[in-house]
Amino acid sequence: MNNNAKILYVCQEVVPYLPENDISTLCRYLPQAMQERGAEIRIFMPRWGCINERRNQLHEVIRLSGMNLIIDDTDHQLIIKVASIPSARVQVYFIDNDDFFKRKATWADAEGKYFEDNEERAIFFARGVLETVKKLRWAPNIVHCHDWFTAIVPVYLRKIFHNDPIFRDLKIVVSVYDDPFPGELNADLSAKLVQEGIKKEDLGGLEVPDYTNLMKFAVQYADAVVMGSPEVDPELREFIEKSGKPVLPFAGKENYEDVYAEFYDKLLEK
């Protein structure tokens, strides 16, 4: 592993804070494996309301909190919390806000219905992660985004934060999974991203913000793609193959660490 690697992991779920699945498990153990190989890592995820703060020993980082982010002409306070994963020398940063993350659920209610403001929550999360990394004054050279709730991060890096010294020299990796959400996000997603300062012509493909189009959009602004599941939506897979970008095939659930390390190293060589 390149000892100069600084990897920012942007995750929608991480064990033990959410139940085990392919995404949450990888986002727990992959960063630790890269850290053990000499990389500097940071992990960010939303502070979903179903996370028990006392049990998991989350605490607010006052020096990073307090900024207001404006989403669709409304101020939302950015609160940053942190916790250490038991049995590992790994910290996780949590993006929190009472408007978006206080409800006792993730992106769907108890009946499985997806929340109508998930697009605003994803925008807030993306902005919150990057603003916090700026405050940390920590310059990653790889940003690895995992699945749909992180899909707005690549366009922010390419179109909003690209001139910031913290984010000027980096590679963006997007992991896609067999984890689609039903239906579509709010159709106002593109309009809200325009309010963020992204040009309308840079938002092609989001006219219908379903899972496949959202992940295509993320891939469009990425430098490389990882197949996080053995099976991925065929339309999305074809889009990735035609993109000509480096692709890491599904590396399995065991002994994948060296495969990822080699993939990161090759990206940093370019």
Side-chain angles (χ1 to χ4, degrees):
M1 182 82 220
N2 187 322
N3 287 332
N4 295 319
K6 295 182 177 182
I7 309 172
L8 171 61
Y9 288 96
V10 189
C11 305
Q12 63 188 35
E13 46 194 321
V14 179
V15 168
Y17 308 107
L18 288 183
E20 290 189 18
N21 58 37
D22 288 350
I23 303 174
S24 63
T25 302
L26 188 70
C27 286
R28 158 64 180 87
Y29 292 102
L30 177 61
Q32 180 182 350
M34 296 306 105
Q35 180 172 269
E36 290 171 352
R37 283 162 172 74
E40 285 187 41
I41 63 102
R42 299 288 187 276
I43 308 171
F44 280 79
M45 70 174 288
R47 205 290 295 176
W48 304 111
C50 54
I51 297 172
N52 187 308
E53 293 198 15
R54 179 173 295 180
R55 183 188 309 140
N56 291 292
Q57 298 183 346
L58 273 66
H59 62 270
E60 185 175 350
V61 186
I62 302 299
R63 68 185 178 87
L64 299 176
S65 296
M67 180 185 300
N68 276 6
L69 304 182
I70 300 174
I71 310 292
D72 196 27
D73 295 328
T74 302
D75 277 5
H76 302 278
Q77 186 180 30
L78 175 61
I79 301 168
I80 307 300
K81 295 176 180 175
V82 70
S84 295
I85 294 179
S87 75
R89 295 175 58 191
V90 173
Q91 282 191 325
V92 177
Y93 290 88
F94 295 84
I95 300 297
D96 198 3
N97 170 267
D98 285 349
D99 301 323
F100 293 133
F101 299 117
K102 189 174 183 179
R103 64 199 75 164
K104 299 295 182 182
T106 53
W107 41 81
D109 63 19
E111 284 74 44
K113 182 180 178 182
Y114 276 58
F115 294 116
E116 292 183 359
D117 64 346
N118 275 339
E119 87 290 347
E120 289 192 358
R121 300 168 87 207
I123 290 171
F124 182 88
F125 177 60
R127 279 271 305 280
V129 169
L130 300 181
E131 295 289 358
T132 304
V133 172
K134 282 178 60 177
K135 276 195 170 185
L136 287 170
R137 296 182 180 179
W138 182 76
N141 47 29
I142 293 176
V143 177
H144 192 162
C145 302
H146 291 264
D147 212 36
W148 70 270
F149 201 78
T150 74
I152 295 169
V153 172
V155 73
Y156 269 86
L157 286 168
R158 294 296 185 221
K159 299 298 179 180
I160 300 294
F161 291 86
H162 59 289
N163 286 325
D164 191 296
I166 294 290
F167 301 112
R168 191 172 291 161
D169 185 22
L170 55 75
K171 302 291 185 181
I172 302 172
V173 180
V174 168
S175 279
V176 298
Y177 296 86
D178 184 20
D179 184 47
F181 56 80
E184 304 167 11
L185 297 184
N186 194 309
D188 291 340
L189 173 59
S190 289
K192 289 169 182 174
L193 289 174
V194 169
Q195 289 180 336
E196 292 287 288
I198 299 170
K199 295 179 181 178
K200 190 173 182 179
E201 55 264 33
D202 294 326
L203 297 170
L206 285 186
E207 295 84 0
V208 179
D210 60 15
Y211 177 84
T212 299
N213 286 339
L214 190 61
M215 294 314 300
K216 285 181 180 180
F217 181 71
V219 168
Q220 177 183 340
Y221 290 103
D223 295 289
V225 183
V226 173
M227 297 297 186
S229 301
E231 300 297 329
V232 173
D233 175 80
E235 181 183 344
L236 179 56
R237 180 180 291 275
E238 182 181 2
F239 179 85
I240 292 168
E241 290 172 353
K242 289 182 177 179
S243 73
K245 298 180 180 185
V247 176
L248 178 64
F250 179 61
K253 296 182 180 181
E254 296 180 1
N255 304 318
Y256 54 77
E257 297 90 343
D258 289 338
V259 176
Y260 274 87
E262 182 180 354
F263 189 66
Y264 290 147
D265 282 345
K266 286 182 179 179
L267 279 179
L268 293 176
E269 290 171 1
K270 293 185 178 182

